[in-house]
Amino acid sequence: MKGALLDLRPLRHATFRRLWLGKTLSGFGGQFGGFAVVFYVWDQTHNPALVGLLGLVTAVPLVAVALLGSAFVDHVDRRRMAAGATWGLLATSLLMAVTAVTASPVGVMLALAAVHSALSALSAPALRAFVPLLLPPERLAAGLALNHLSFQLAMLLGPACAGVVVAFAGAPVCFVVDAASFGAALFGIAGLPRVTGTSSGGAGLRAVRDGIAFAVRTRPVAGALLADLCATLLAMPVALFPVVNQEKFGGSPTTLGLFLTAIGVGGAIASLLSGAATRLPRPGMVLLAGGLVWGGALALAGVVSTLPAVLTCLALAGAADTWAVVARGTVVQSSTPDAYLGRVAALEHVVGVAGPELGNLRAGLVASATSGGAALVIGGLTCLAGTAALAALSRPLRRATVLAPAAAGQPTP
C-alpha cells in the first residue's frame, strides 16, 4: 500500500521543490483569474455566445504562440524566457483588475485574455522542459505526478474559492490574487539553472520543422501524442455534459456541476495513489491502459441511467486520465534529448490544448445527430478501438522505458 501512494521523493530536490511550490501557488491563483474573466464577461453582457467566445479567444493564440515559440525555445535561455513571460502575465492580470474596476468594454477584457493566453504558451513549454533536467530519470514520473496533483487541487479548490471572493469582494480582487500568485512563480523560476542554446541548429521555422520531424520519427514520442489524441479528439466528453444532464436528470445546474467535480475527484484520488503507476517500469503501457479505461468508462457512462452510476464512471475516467497524462509526459520527456526538449514540450502543449477543443466540437456534432448518451458511447468505443489499434501497432510505445535526457533522442525504428 505504501508503494501505491504518491511518491514525494522528487521534493527532496531543492530546485524542483522550489519550482513546484511556485507553480502550485500560481496555478491556484490562476483559477481566480480564469473565474473572474468568465464572470466579468457574463456580468457585463449576459450573452452566452460571448462567454463561449472566450474559449476561441484563448485557444487560438495559445496554439499559435506555442508553435511560434518553439522556433526559438531551444536557442535561448529558457529561464529568462519563462521569467519574462511570467512578468508579462503578472502585468496582464493587473490590467485585467483595472479593466474590471473601470467597467471597461468587454472587448478590452477579451483582448487581455488573448494576451494572457499567448504569454502562457511561452512560459509553460519552457518550464516543462526543466523537469527532466532537475530530476534523475527514475523520479521523472513521480515529479510529473506531483505537477498533475497541484493542477487537480487547483481545479477542485480554486473556482469555489474564487466564487466566494467575487461574491464578497468583487472580480477585481480575484485578478489581484492572480497577479500576486505570479510572484510565487517568479520565486520558483529564479532558482532554476541557466539553460542556453541547447540546440545546435538554427532558430526560426527550420527549428519548428526539426522539432516536428523529431517527434514524428521518434516512435515512443509519436505514439504517446497519438494516444493522447485518441483520448481527447475521439472521446472528450465535457461538451456532452449539459446534454446528458438534460436527457437523464432534468437539466439541474447542481447536477451538471457534479459531472466535472466527479472527474476532478477521480483525478485527485489517482494523483494521491500515483505511486502505483509511476513506479512501473513501462510508462507506455500505463498510458495505453489509461486510454482504454478512459474510453470504456465514458462509454459506460452513456449507458447507465442513475446519477451515482454516471458519476462513478466519470470519476473512473478522471482517474484513468490522470495516470495517462503522467505516463504520456514521462514517455515524451524521457525520450527527448535536451536539444529538443523545448520544442517537443511546445508540441505536447499544443496537442493537450487542441485535442480537447476539437474533441468537444466532434462530440457536439455527434450529439446533435444522435443524443448525448449515444455520443458518449460512440466516443468511448471509438477511443477504445483507436487505443487498441495503437497498442497493437506501436511496439516502441509499449516497450518505452524511462531514459535520461542525455541518453534519449535516438530515433526508434
Side-chain angles (χ1 to χ4, degrees), residues 7-407:
D7 188 351
L8 299 176
R9 290 177 297 172
L11 296 179
R12 298 175 185 172
H13 299 263
T15 306
F16 176 81
R17 181 173 65 248
R18 179 171 172 166
L19 178 64
W20 182 81
L21 287 171
K23 288 178 65 178
T24 299
L25 291 173
S26 67
F28 181 70
Q31 294 297 318
F32 282 72
F35 183 93
V37 169
V38 174
F39 176 83
Y40 182 83
V41 173
W42 174 254
D43 188 55
Q44 293 292 310
T45 67
H46 290 280
N47 186 335
L50 283 176
V51 176
L53 184 62
L54 265 174
L56 181 65
V57 164
T58 56
V60 170
L62 192 150
V63 172
V65 174
L67 287 174
L68 291 174
S70 69
F72 54 83
V73 65
D74 291 318
H75 301 80
V76 299
D77 183 351
R78 291 179 190 150
R79 182 183 65 178
R80 180 174 293 180
M81 177 177 172
T86 303
W87 277 111
L89 288 165
L90 190 157
T92 304
S93 294
L94 290 177
L95 288 174
M96 288 177 167
V98 173
T99 299
V101 167
T102 58
S104 298
V106 168
V108 176
M109 185 65 78
L110 292 175
L112 289 172
V115 172
H116 199 280
S117 180
L119 290 168
S120 297
L122 289 176
S123 65
L127 292 176
R128 187 178 297 184
F130 274 101
V131 177
L133 304 180
L134 301 179
L135 297 174
E138 65 274 11
R139 293 184 182 172
L140 174 61
L144 294 174
L146 282 166
N147 283 342
H148 200 66
L149 174 63
S150 68
F151 168 77
Q152 292 284 358
L153 292 176
M155 288 289 291
L156 279 174
L157 302 176
C161 293
V164 173
V165 171
V166 167
F168 287 94
V173 176
C174 279
F175 291 122
V176 172
V177 171
D178 187 18
S181 72
F182 286 118
L186 290 168
F187 171 79
I189 293 169
L192 294 173
R194 290 191 62 189
V195 181
T196 307
T198 58
S199 176
S200 58
L205 291 179
R206 180 179 176 182
V208 178
R209 291 196 301 268
D210 288 346
I212 295 174
F214 170 84
V216 170
R217 70 174 181 264
T218 307
R219 297 282 295 282
V221 174
L225 296 179
L226 285 174
D228 188 76
L229 287 174
C230 280
T232 57
L233 187 61
L234 301 180
M236 195 66 189
V238 176
L240 300 175
F241 288 170
V243 186
V244 173
N245 183 43
Q246 182 66 46
E247 292 174 352
K248 296 188 176 186
F249 309 114
S252 167
T254 304
T255 305
L256 178 60
L258 293 176
F259 283 33
L260 276 175
T261 300
I263 289 183
V265 168
I269 293 173
S271 293
L272 293 174
L273 298 176
S274 60
T278 59
R279 290 182 172 91
L280 294 176
R282 299 206 180 275
M285 291 297 293
V286 176
L287 172 58
L288 292 167
L292 291 172
V293 174
W294 163 265
L298 291 177
L300 188 58
V303 174
V304 298
S305 57
T306 66
L307 181 60
V310 171
L311 296 180
T312 300
C313 290
L314 293 179
L316 180 59
D321 178 61
T322 290
W323 280 16
V325 167
V326 172
R328 183 198 72 206
T330 304
V331 171
V332 170
Q333 295 194 18
S334 67
S335 301
T336 304
D338 188 36
Y340 287 95
L341 269 176
R343 281 169 285 180
V344 173
L347 186 60
E348 187 183 7
H349 194 58
V350 169
V351 169
V353 171
E357 294 293 339
L358 293 175
N360 278 320
L361 174 62
R362 176 211 57 80
L365 293 175
V366 174
S368 65
T370 55
S371 68
L376 267 179
V377 173
I378 292 169
L381 293 179
T382 307
C383 172
L384 279 171
T387 304
L390 183 62
L393 297 174
S394 183
R395 184 169 178 264
L397 178 59
R398 297 197 311 270
R399 298 177 63 84
T401 56
V402 179
L403 302 173

